[in-house]
Amino acid sequence: MASLIFPENFLWGVAASAYQIEGAWNEDGKGESIWDRFVRQPDRVLNGDTGNTACDHYHRMSADVALMKDLGIPCYSFTLSWTRILPNGRGQVNVKGLDFYDRLVDALLEAGIRPKTTLYHWDLPQALQDLGGWPNRDSIDWFADYARVAFDRLGDRVHLWATHNEPWVAAFLGYGAGFHAPGICDATKAYQTAHHLLTAHAKTVQVFRQGGYAGKIGLILNLNHLLPASDSEADLAATQRVYDETHSLFLDPVFHGRYPETFFEWLGPHRPRVHPDDLSLLHNSVDYLGLNHYNTDTVRFDIFNGWLKARLTPYAAPGWGYTEMGWGINPDGLKSEVLNIKENYGNPKLYLTENGCAMPDQPDENGFVADWDRIRFLQAHIQALHAAIQAGANVHGYFAWSIFDNFEWERGYSQRFGLVRVDYDTLTRIPKQSAYWYRDVIARNGLTI
Ligand code: IFM
């Protein structure tokens, strides 16, 4: 047996997002978001599921925090619902909405759990979508103004902030492929959205820094690992294009102050409009980078597949298979991604802000799930992260996705990522084996393997 111990003060946590767990979609003055609208449209979400109730966290918040305390969780990463705070996205503040997050932060601190707060996890106010949404350049100011309201109210107690979670998803699944709200399929809008999300992030960081709020602020990116399907020139070039869209498009402006020019040439008419000052605002606009990592894909040239002319196929490493999402498991992919950030982007301070898996959980007669497959996944990824740290990566924390089973977007409730099972009929929470296993990892600050 060997022990893999993490650095002192390494931050262990769990993550969840507002729309996926809160429910109470139209209570206490909350406004409509693009997801509230999207789920009501036919055939958008599997089985017609909605986040109307989700895990009912809005009403069960105190008990949920108590459960996290029991499970020994040191940090809880949650997101704010923009329309709970500003029902129309701007203008009138909804006091009851802000009060909810105020109570949540107080409850966490009281329980000895550090709050980590993300401003945007895909639930744009519908009123702002009606004005054009993220493709409208005004979205930069809408977002920064909303962020200021959140900083003013919570900034005395929340000292770890993120602007966006996975802007690639918001831009390309929301405005490009249309699988996510607002369900638009338009490549030009998708790339413009990516640029506006980034610039809104940078402007918000400027507000944070100039406002003298205490703490650190970062950006969270989903970086899947990519492997070319072969050494052919066509597959290598296709892999580079997918890398550029998922990685360089977000990392280059933040860490190098530029966009990937060759990729922008490839985009031709879809190339986003960038104002002269945007890149200087973006350069060095994070105190830390959040990395969400789940899976690896191989990439093959495919002339018929989208504007990138690339086809992705899930890749599972030898001895591993696929999760319920169909995602390929390859723990080494995590190590490669972390080391890529270290080597090519200046070894910034990094948190592994999401990692986990949907598995075919089988509850026993008491609702208990002995999820050894999830434990094996988590253990291997934490081990890979440890190896990256040993190789010099500047990693400061790990967050398991997710504390609860929850609403998995277009797949509804069909996918269970939680350390804690949620019975959707009774809304009872039942910690799985993995929750107790993770409690031990946290207590030891590492793994025994
Ligand atoms: O559930 C999502 C989350 O909202 C963003 N990151 C990936 C998770 C699993 O798909």
Side-chain angles (χ1 to χ4, degrees), residues 401-416:
W401 182 272
S402 177
I403 177 65
F404 301 121
D405 291 337
N406 60 45
F407 177 81
E408 179 57 26
W409 308 109
E410 77 276 25
R411 301 192 200 209
Y413 295 100
S414 66
Q415 303 293 316
R416 293 181 175 271

Side-chain angles (χ1 to χ4, degrees), residues 20 121-122 165-166 294 325 327 354 401 408-409 417:
Q20 293 178 273
H121 197 122
W122 314 346
N165 187 74
E166 303 187 358
Y294 290 88
M325 297 286 282
W327 294 347
E354 284 184 24
W401 182 272
E408 179 57 26
W409 308 109
F417 277 87

Side-chain angles (χ1 to χ4, degrees), residues 6 9-15 73-77 116 291 293-294 334 338 350-357 374-375 377-386 389 395-402 419 437-438 441-442 445 447:
F6 280 72
N9 299 324
F10 190 80
L11 190 59
W12 297 98
V14 290
I73 307 292
C75 182
Y76 174 46
S77 172
K116 178 178 187 311
L291 166 60
H293 182 82
Y294 290 88
L334 169 59
V338 172
L350 198 132
Y351 291 96
L352 208 290
T353 33
E354 284 184 24
N355 176 240
C357 54
R374 181 172 288 104
I375 291 172
F377 178 104
L378 295 172
Q379 170 158 317
H381 284 80
I382 292 174
Q383 199 173 332
L385 189 64
H386 189 270
I389 295 171
V395 186
H396 289 248
Y398 173 93
F399 291 74
W401 182 272
S402 177
L419 300 180
W437 172 85
Y438 191 46
V441 171
I442 294 167
N445 194 31
L447 296 171

